[in-house]
Amino acid sequence: MGFSLDRFQPKPAGQPVAAVDNGANYTSDSEASVIRDGDLAFTRVKGGNGAEATYQEAIGAPVESNSPLGYHVGWATILFLNINQMIGTGIFSTPGNVLNNTGSVGLALIYWVIGFLMAVAGFGTFLELASYFPSRSGSEVVYLEQAYPRPKHFFPIAFAVQSVILSFSSSNAIVLSRYVWRIADQEPSDWQMKGVAIAAYSLAVICVIGHNKFSLWATNFFGGLKIITLVFISITGLVVLGGNVSRVPDPGANFRDSFAGTTRNGNDLASALVSIVFSYTGYQNAFNVVNEIRDPVRSIKIHGFISVLVVAVLYMFCNIAYFAAVPKETFAESSELAAGVFFTTVFGRGGAETALNVLILLSAFGNLLAVLIGQSRMIREIGRQGVLPFTPFWVSTKPFGTPLGPYVLKWAMTFVMIVAPPAGDAFQFVVSLKTYPEGMFYLAMAIGVWIIRRRRNRNKISRSQFRVWDVALIFFTLIQVYVLVMPWFPPEGGPYAGDVSFWYATYCVVGIAIMIVCGLYYVAWMYLIPKWRGYEIRTEIIEVDDNGANTHRLVKVPIADLGEWDAEHDEAGQVRRRHIPESDEGSSKGEEQQHVVEPKV
């Protein structure tokens, strides 16, 4: 991947933003507008979503004073953005894998409780970071950028490479396809499976591209269906436990001696935890749309936590229902169709099973919508950092008022990842590969909370709206360490007995290699090539659309012009306002506010 930089001159893609003191981006009340800490400069910024003014390091993408995506995310959408991503295909497909890897019903249930605690700790960590930057969407894109502003642009580039290359949702689309064919009661060929997955994902992309507000309403609708589905499974499980289903003669069998068969293999335990993490992934989805929420910290604190609590309770009841109805050995082999096995056991083949499978299929589709909405904001925010080529393509919300560029990227990468890898090892390897760099970034983000706290205390910046408990932050950090370390322990059957036929930890090595390549590319792009060609990289703020969308653009400034550039731009890359004598202000104010440095020839 190459990152293009604009030369030191105006570009038709966008116009440099003048430093107009309109109170939207920069505030000037009792607190300083700029705080300097060594070579760091923290500018006080405020968006248009009603959040408090806060400080961010100037190298970060600018705050948008008016969200070009609107402010359509209310309490229900906060709930269902999270619920839709958490309740995707995980609870319907991973419980069998968790049981298979833990070896016992008792430990499997404990792992689901650990998942809830992990989700709460992670939610609190994200909420504290959001309270520092409440007018920036994109969640960890912003938090990594601000926690590690030096070396300049390193984390934005590394995260951009990982996010763009691995920005696919092929696994959920494939599981959705499996349920389509299960409903049709047919055994599909490999290409039939892939064809349905591509069609379903394409439909989801068309929905979110077409209209932003309606796509948010759609997530609310599908989220409601998911709650109904899990409540039905939970109630059915209680009925089974009561001994009222003749198809299940001994509903308590799996709960007697429930820890029998518990594994002690570290690799299996790590795989089980990865499945749990996958099932709870989404508790942070609402943080991707922070700048589209009025009073975001308070709103997400209340409704985001409710979403995690509701999902955790339903997950436990669903697992109890599964274990009450399906023999342990059968359930451990259920793979992606755990819920389908449950329905068949309780209801047999027929209309009830088909109806419930349809609900699961709709649940998977709702997950695709929620993931698309959240990750499109993340990719858009990466574009706003200026480190991707064709900056306006990623940032613009024209023509439909939606982030078209990120949606096109998501579709293209998912299409490739559905079509290219053959079923089996290659597909499983690519899915696993995505999790390891994510774990590294989550660990960096958790440590980043401590860094930001210390930096704010040192500079006497006022306390934010929310601060996570230290014990929760430590627990979240340790979970990331566990996820990164445990996969290195070989599986019980030896180094070739993992999820793939080749060496079990290959995806870990490749994940680390991707980060190393990012580091080498960064050194060449930021230091070696500029030194060789006689320029330095600076940031410039430009307007992309006429609806409030703005972005950073990285500019190659020749060494001879650095003094002029730095004199004409502030730390954030915004054109400075000149001090104009009052007698001349009326005639020249507008001209000076639009002043752009011209290149020297």
Side-chain angles (χ1 to χ4, degrees):
M1 172 181 291
F3 296 97
S4 64
L5 292 140
D6 297 297
R7 284 289 182 184
F8 178 28
Q9 58 185 359
K11 297 288 183 182
Q15 294 297 321
V17 177
V20 181
D21 188 13
N22 59 8
N25 287 324
Y26 293 88
T27 60
S28 57
D29 55 16
S30 58
E31 295 192 48
S33 60
V34 179
I35 294 176
R36 299 187 183 278
D37 182 2
D39 68 337
L40 302 179
F42 298 94
T43 57
R44 193 158 186 261
V45 294
K46 183 177 177 62
N49 60 353
E52 297 178 354
T54 56
Y55 286 92
Q56 74 167 31
E57 214 282 323
I59 201 64
V63 167
E64 292 177 310
S65 58
N66 180 55
S67 171
L69 294 165
Y71 299 100
H72 307 303
V73 180
W75 67 268
T77 305
I78 293 173
L79 280 170
F80 290 122
L81 275 175
N82 288 355
I83 287 173
N84 262 306
Q85 188 166 350
M86 283 188 282
I87 309 175
T89 56
I91 188 59
F92 305 119
S93 60
T94 59
N97 293 330
V98 173
L99 177 61
N100 188 45
N101 284 305
T102 57
S104 70
V105 171
L107 186 58
L109 292 175
I110 289 175
Y111 259 55
W112 286 98
V113 174
I114 292 173
F116 167 64
L117 298 177
M118 178 208 66
V120 170
F123 176 81
T125 301
F126 271 84
L127 186 59
E128 177 171 342
L129 289 164
S131 71
Y132 296 141
F133 316 107
S135 297
R136 293 278 305 278
S137 296
S139 63
E140 58 253 54
V141 176
V142 180
Y143 309 150
L144 289 167
E145 166 205 89
Q146 290 296 310
Y148 305 97
R150 299 295 183 272
K152 286 184 178 181
H153 308 300
F154 173 71
F155 267 87
I157 287 175
F159 194 85
V161 171
Q162 182 263 349
S163 298
V164 171
I165 293 177
L166 303 178
S167 61
F168 51 83
S169 299
S170 50
S171 58
N172 282 335
I174 289 292
V175 172
L176 184 151
S177 179
R178 291 188 190 279
Y179 272 95
V180 169
W181 289 107
R182 184 179 178 85
I183 292 168
D185 196 22
Q186 294 185 30
E187 188 64 33
S189 67
D190 188 40
W191 280 106
Q192 285 177 321
M193 182 76 72
K194 291 179 177 182
V196 171
I198 291 170
Y201 196 75
S202 299
L203 177 60
V205 171
I206 292 171
C207 289
V208 293
I209 285 177
H211 198 286
N212 186 43
K213 190 173 183 180
F214 291 162
S215 66
L216 295 176
W217 288 352
T219 62
N220 297 348
F221 171 75
F222 286 110
L225 286 180
K226 293 181 185 213
I227 295 296
I228 293 172
T229 303
L230 293 195
V231 168
F232 181 83
I233 293 174
S234 301
I235 293 174
T236 302
L238 295 177
V239 173
V240 171
L241 276 177
N244 298 310
V245 177
S246 59
R247 293 176 178 272
V248 184
D250 188 6
N254 286 334
F255 300 103
R256 290 192 291 270
D257 195 15
S258 60
F259 287 92
T262 298
T263 184
R264 295 183 180 180
N265 181 266
N267 186 273
D268 289 340
L269 294 174
S271 296
L273 188 61
V274 168
S275 295
I276 294 292
V277 169
F278 173 75
S279 296
Y280 274 100
T281 293
Y283 64 81
Q284 79 285 10
N285 199 24
F287 294 101
N288 286 317
V289 296
V290 162
N291 199 34
E292 300 170 51
I293 304 173
R294 299 287 186 183
D295 192 9
V297 177
R298 179 181 174 276
S299 297
I300 298 179
K301 178 181 177 180
I302 296 172
H303 303 109
F305 176 75
I306 290 174
S307 70
V308 176
L309 182 61
V310 168
V311 168
V313 170
L314 290 174
Y315 276 4
M316 287 303 297
F317 275 111
C318 284
N319 273 279
I320 291 171
Y322 294 157
F323 295 140
V326 185
K328 176 182 173 181
E329 293 74 17
T330 303
F331 194 72
E333 298 174 356
S334 60
S335 186
E336 294 95 343
L337 302 176
V341 173
F342 168 78
F343 294 149
T344 302
T345 303
V346 175
F347 299 104
R349 297 283 181 179
E353 180 199 17
T354 300
L356 291 170
N357 281 323
V358 169
L359 287 176
I360 294 178
L361 185 152
L362 294 176
S363 174
F365 186 77
N367 174 266
L368 295 180
L369 293 179
V371 172
L372 276 165
I373 291 170
Q375 292 192 357
S376 70
R377 273 54 169 185
M378 184 181 294
I379 296 171
R380 181 177 184 270
E381 199 65 22
I382 292 172
R384 293 186 65 247
Q385 292 173 327
V387 298
L388 294 178
F390 315 113
T391 301
F393 174 75
W394 308 106
V395 179
S396 176
T397 58
K398 291 184 175 180
F400 305 111
T402 56
L404 180 62
Y407 285 142
V408 170
L409 172 70
K410 286 283 297 178
W411 182 87
M413 294 303 298
T414 300
F415 177 86
V416 170
M417 290 313 305
I418 291 174
V419 172
D425 283 355
F427 181 81
Q428 182 60 45
F429 169 75
V430 173
V431 172
S432 298
L433 174 62
K434 186 177 181 181
T435 64
Y436 207 76
E438 283 180 350
M440 289 188 274
F441 284 119
Y442 265 52
L443 177 61
M445 192 186 71
I447 296 172
V449 175
W450 302 103
I451 295 173
I452 293 174
R453 285 181 181 180
R454 182 181 179 187
R455 190 183 294 148
R456 289 172 65 92
N457 289 336
R458 183 172 63 242
N459 291 287
K460 297 180 173 56
I461 299 176
S462 58
R463 192 182 181 96
S464 62
Q465 282 183 264
F466 180 83
R467 180 165 176 155
V468 66
W469 290 343
D470 288 349
V471 65
L473 181 56
I474 292 171
F475 177 66
F476 182 69
T477 305
L478 292 177
I479 286 289
Q480 309 315 315
V481 173
Y482 182 91
V483 169
L484 292 174
V485 171
M486 292 304 288
W488 291 96
F489 285 82
E492 195 167 336
Y496 299 98
D499 294 332
V500 292
S501 60
F502 42 88
W503 187 52
Y504 69 98
T506 301
Y507 76 94
C508 302
V509 174
V510 175
I512 293 173
I514 290 175
M515 295 298 101
I516 293 174
V517 170
C518 288
L520 294 174
Y521 178 85
Y522 171 80
V523 171
W525 173 79
M526 192 73 182
Y527 297 106
L528 299 182
I529 296 176
K531 184 177 181 180
W532 171 45
R533 302 190 64 180
Y535 65 83
E536 287 191 13
I537 295 171
R538 292 291 190 266
T539 54
E540 177 184 37
I541 298 177
I542 62 170
E543 292 177 343
V544 176
D545 296 331
D546 55 4
N547 58 0
N550 63 20
T551 180
H552 264 167
R553 179 172 62 186
L554 301 189
V555 183
K556 298 176 180 177
V557 182
I559 297 295
D561 296 330
L562 281 176
E564 182 181 357
W565 175 274
D566 292 340
E568 294 289 345
H569 295 77
D570 63 17
E571 292 82 357
Q574 191 161 247
V575 179
R576 296 183 191 274
R577 178 204 289 241
R578 290 185 181 177
H579 294 288
I580 307 168
E582 290 185 7
S583 59
D584 299 332
E585 186 172 358
S587 61
S588 59
K589 181 176 180 181
E591 177 184 351
E592 295 297 339
Q593 286 182 348
Q594 296 299 323
H595 176 71
V596 178
V597 179
E598 295 293 342
K600 290 187 176 181
V601 180

